[in-house]
Amino acid sequence: MTGLSELQKDRKGFWGYMNIVISLFIFFVSIQGFLTELSGQVGSLRNGTIKENNEVQ
């Protein structure tokens, strides 16, 4: 808790760290969404439900 009170005294430092935390959160959420979509497409390719030109049968 001491570190949090020190960051609240220094507003620039606090918002700098918050910016890093928010950016990392957005990055990991977007990567997770991309990997989920990619694994779904790989599964569809294995099942043969997607043609080569990405049209669904």
Side-chain angles (χ1 to χ4, degrees), residues 5-50:
S5 63
E6 288 295 321
L7 280 177
Q8 287 178 344
K9 289 179 186 175
D10 182 16
R11 292 289 182 189
K12 286 184 180 180
F14 174 75
W15 286 113
Y17 283 113
M18 285 303 294
N19 189 14
I20 292 170
V21 169
I22 292 169
S23 299
L24 286 173
F25 176 76
I26 292 172
F27 175 74
F28 283 117
V29 168
S30 62
I31 289 295
Q32 187 178 19
F34 174 74
L35 291 177
T36 303
E37 181 179 333
L38 186 63
S39 67
Q41 288 180 358
V42 169
S44 297
L45 284 173
R46 288 181 183 162
N47 295 335
T49 55
I50 296 182

